[in-house]
Amino acid sequence: MSEKVVKLKVLEFANKVGGKKMGSKGAYTAEDPRYKILAPVVTDEMAEVALVMDFRKPKSAEELAKLCGKPVELVEKLAWELSLAGVCFVNKKEGVDVYWYDTWVPGIMEMMVNNKANVKKYPEIAMAFEEYGRIVGPMSVGKFPVGVGVMRVIPVETAISGETRRASYEEISKYLNEAHVFTVSDCSCRTSREVMGEGCGHLKEDMCIQLDHAAEYYIRTGRGREITREEAFEIIKKAEENGLMHQIPNFDGTGKTHAICNCCGCSCFAMRIAQMYSNSDMVRSNYVAHVDKDKCVACGECVENCPTNAARLGTKLTQINPTKVKPLDNPRDTKWGPEKFNTDYRTNRTDVTATGTSPCKTECPAHIAVQGYVKLASLGKYKEALELIKHENPFPAICGRICPHKCETACTRCGVDQAVAIDEIKKFIAQQDLNETHRYIPKIKHNYGKKIAVIGGGPAGLSCAFYLAVDGYKVTVFEKQKVLGGMLTLGIPNYRLEKEVINAEIDILRELGVEFKTGIEVGKDITLNELRAQDYKAFYVAIGAQKGRSLRIEGEDHPKVLTGVDFLREVNLGSFNELKGKTVVIGGGNVAIDVARTAVRLGSSQVDMLCLESRPEMPALAEEIEEAFEEGIKINNSWGPKRIVVENGVLKGVEFKKCVSVFDANKRFSPIYNENEVIFVEADNVLVSVGQAMDWGKLLEDTSASFNPNMTLQADGFTYQSNQKDVFTGGDCYTGPRFAIDAIAAGKQGAISIHRFVQPGQSLVNGRDRRDYVAIDKDNLDLESYDRLPRQSTHDTTKYKGTDAFKDGRPTFTEAQIKKETERCLGCGATTIDEYKCVGCGQCTTKCKFDAIKLVRTYNSGGASFEDVKPLVVRTALTREVKIIAKNIKKSFSKEEA
């Protein structure tokens, strides 16, 4: 293959923009991105015209023609082509078109990437923009004074409204109110990332606002859509609501700019300067976030929305042996080379400091902001508390009744007296969601419109549908059964979770526009390929583990032997209303407990549970075991079924053999029996609850999906994407049987992945929070000074006999009890801010419901025009070298003294 011919005039222009001369030391070559971005669309003839243009000095075609010796008509054509390509600006001045070029960034490169047709045809344009940042980024580290970089963060205006020392150039409203012409365009950084398949899920459309001369240029060249000032303010507001920050091109001079960018920390190339190269000073505002730890409740909203990972969760409790944190170096006084670059900053964000943080948030599978909603409840702000919960869990009323409350097990208060009654607080908050007049319906964020199919109407599928609907997708849930809810509806008895509660929370999904199709089995009634033909772009498979496992022993095929899940399903559907005689339940988990307690309610004269595990090894929750005892159920531990005895077609009972050990030396499930120790237990009914399995049917036939030995679907542990790329999964069909809250958490993560998958050029992992929370070391806490406050409780009036046997008799706390119980929270966690990493965008302040985080004016820089930057950079670089030398001398003295 022949080598590409270098366009020498184009290369010469690239050097001119950068202040270089062809052939001189440091001149750009054809391998430089400054040439590569021009080469696909700029001819040497066009470059000859560009070479006689001036930096920021407009010239007419007639003036340019005199300088380059070409006819005016030809120069007009070539100059217009240059402006269309994005190489130069064009504006009308006294009725005549004038042209000029600007800096590479911000300037030519963004403008070239904003030509959609060219980028589609020549993706190397977008790639060159990205590459340019990786070349100049390392060269700028530590050399720019605060507020004098190519871009500058402008704080969210509400974050500085009470700051008396603020300047007008730090207010977005100043720029919008002073401008007269406005356009909005795609974000060039995110366009570039999208072309490279490295998007972060923040989409590019309608993100960047151009003002006055830039807006005129964008209108004339078709790069942007003209908008009003009011629309510009709405775009700013929506950006803030969606967790984005504001930046302006910063080389126009103090208080001047031609654009406002609404940026994310995970795709913006200016933010890469701050994160990859730790060069925050080059882009920061004059502000730094400060946290009032007395007010902070470690909800984590600021942490998840911080664009630079400056905010992380820590603790505010007193440690016996305080965690020692070594101060981090930064480029202000340290040499900064590639060995210090954080090249993986888009995938290695951390949420927690070395101290650890609140154990309740850490241990919750959905990492709900427990401390946050407890505090809001204490203030009587129940709707705000509900909103906070629903950021992670759309079904608080359901979970308030059936959650295993790992948060309470981990609660630091256990080291003082008893855990905070977190589940009861959540249940009280969620009660208002059951009333149509007080429901919290989230605002739909976007209008993407793409169709997504959720297969399975259980907790994982419903959770995924909720978050996709909130994000703006058209979601259809396909459910094989005639009713929705999956195991919530069909696998949990009514006395634990009443159907009205489930239906009320599902109704909210209907209000969000989710469509439900029940009684349809995908794979049988309709195939995935048929759904693809209907324009469904992705599938979330969450069919649960709805089939009971068998024992594979003699007599199991008798009609009065049922699996526990089949039994509960029939009871919940109303087709099983009575159970006479003695009942044996085989199994020791939570489902087995539900089966046994349901058998009691259906009239069984005696219910015996037998399981392999010893009492301490039983997988059922201790409180559920206690409830079974209270209802007269006998639990016999360490017995495994040998055979089900049937004589002349009549069920007689079950023979059991003694289980000596359930686990082998490696803690793997491997029962060992004493075959000589056998008992016989009479039974008229046998209910087998020894695990659950998936019933895949033909759902994933003719796909690339693969399965584990236990027939759970194989998928990536972070993104939940299966080997069939448009199929995502979560819940019991992926993990095996777990709790509803585990499935709900997986549903949200599935929704995040699907959003990224169906949008072009998005990575499933870049810029995504891995939610790796770490709890504080409770053994290292000084808890002696805390008062002992009794935990609030209610009297359970649940009945297991009579007409009310299937009613939930567990009352909700009163408001007075809520006040008392929320006071017991120790408030373990608090946000900490790395003040060097913080760029002062103020996004954190918009997410805090507790007025716990504010921006404080720490610097006093007004910026500078491009022409004035060089001496400021030289002075800063020299000062930095002195600091580096001084620091190294101090280090050497310290070593000698040691």
Side-chain angles (χ1 to χ4, degrees), residues 572-610:
N572 281 312
L573 288 172
S575 56
F576 203 128
N577 301 309
E578 189 178 36
L579 197 65
K580 294 182 178 180
K582 298 177 180 179
T583 300
V584 165
V585 177
I586 300 172
N590 291 311
V591 176
I593 297 282
D594 286 344
V595 168
R597 295 180 68 191
T598 300
V600 169
R601 283 162 172 74
L602 290 181
S604 185
S605 58
Q606 179 179 321
V607 179
D608 292 286
M609 280 183 66
L610 294 97

Side-chain angles (χ1 to χ4, degrees), residues 699-761:
L699 172 58
L700 295 175
E701 279 190 2
D702 302 319
T703 71
S704 302
S706 52
F707 299 89
N708 295 306
N710 66 351
M711 290 308 292
T712 52
L713 183 59
Q714 288 183 356
D716 182 89
F718 180 44
T719 67
Y720 293 91
Q721 185 180 40
S722 75
N723 293 333
Q724 175 64 43
K725 297 305 180 186
D726 61 351
V727 171
F728 296 78
T729 189
D732 290 356
C733 69
Y734 167 67
T735 60
R738 288 193 185 174
F739 295 104
I741 189 62
D742 295 283
I744 289 166
K748 180 178 179 181
Q749 294 305 309
I752 293 170
S753 290
I754 288 171
H755 160 67
R756 289 162 172 254
F757 175 78
V758 301
Q759 298 293 347

Side-chain angles (χ1 to χ4, degrees), residues 772-790:
D772 290 331
Y773 290 92
V774 179
I776 49 178
D777 178 3
K778 287 176 282 188
D779 293 333
N780 189 32
L781 296 177
D782 182 2
L783 303 176
E784 291 300 318
S785 62
Y786 290 97
D787 293 335
R788 272 58 178 167
L789 298 173

Side-chain angles (χ1 to χ4, degrees), residues 38 48 57 60 167 222 238 246 269 283 317 325 407 519 636 640 694 789:
L38 298 171
E48 287 172 346
K57 291 180 180 178
S60 67
K238 184 175 180 180
H246 313 307
F269 295 142
V283 296
L317 298 183
V325 180
C407 51
N636 303 279
M694 282 55 67
L789 298 173

Side-chain angles (χ1 to χ4, degrees), residues 56 102-111 114 129 132-133 136 140 144-155 169 172 175 185-190 207-211 218 245-253 256-264 267-274 279-286 839-841 861-866 869 873:
R56 295 188 176 176
D102 212 299
T103 54
W104 281 115
V105 172
I108 293 172
M109 290 199 171
E110 287 93 338
M111 288 154 56
N114 278 139
F129 179 33
Y132 170 80
V136 300
S140 64
F144 279 74
V146 169
V148 185
V150 293
M151 299 291 289
R152 180 192 181 103
V153 170
I154 300 295
Y169 61 76
I172 284 288
Y175 300 101
S185 70
D186 292 352
C187 168
S188 52
C189 295
R190 276 173 256 175
M207 278 293 117
C208 295
I209 299 169
Q210 295 77 38
L211 310 173
Y218 267 64
M245 59 187 291
H246 313 307
Q247 291 188 88
I248 60 170
N250 196 38
F251 282 167
D252 293 358
K256 299 176 183 178
T257 193
H258 60 272
I260 300 170
C261 300
N262 295 305
C263 309
C264 63
S267 281
C268 173
F269 295 142
M271 283 296 102
R272 177 169 63 181
I273 293 169
N279 196 11
S280 302
D281 287 347
M282 191 170 174
V283 296
R284 69 165 73 252
S285 75
N286 284 325
V839 294
C841 69
S861 170
S865 64
F866 180 80
V869 166
V873 170

Side-chain angles (χ1 to χ4, degrees), residues 873-889:
V873 170
V874 171
R875 186 164 65 238
T876 302
L878 290 173
T879 304
R880 175 177 178 252
E881 288 301 318
V882 172
K883 288 180 179 179
I884 291 171
I885 292 168
K887 183 179 179 180
N888 289 338
I889 291 172

Side-chain angles (χ1 to χ4, degrees), residues 35 98 152 272 430 440 521 674 715 724 757:
Y35 171 78
V98 290
R152 180 192 181 103
R272 177 169 63 181
Y440 168 70
E521 183 177 350
N674 180 350
Q724 175 64 43
F757 175 78

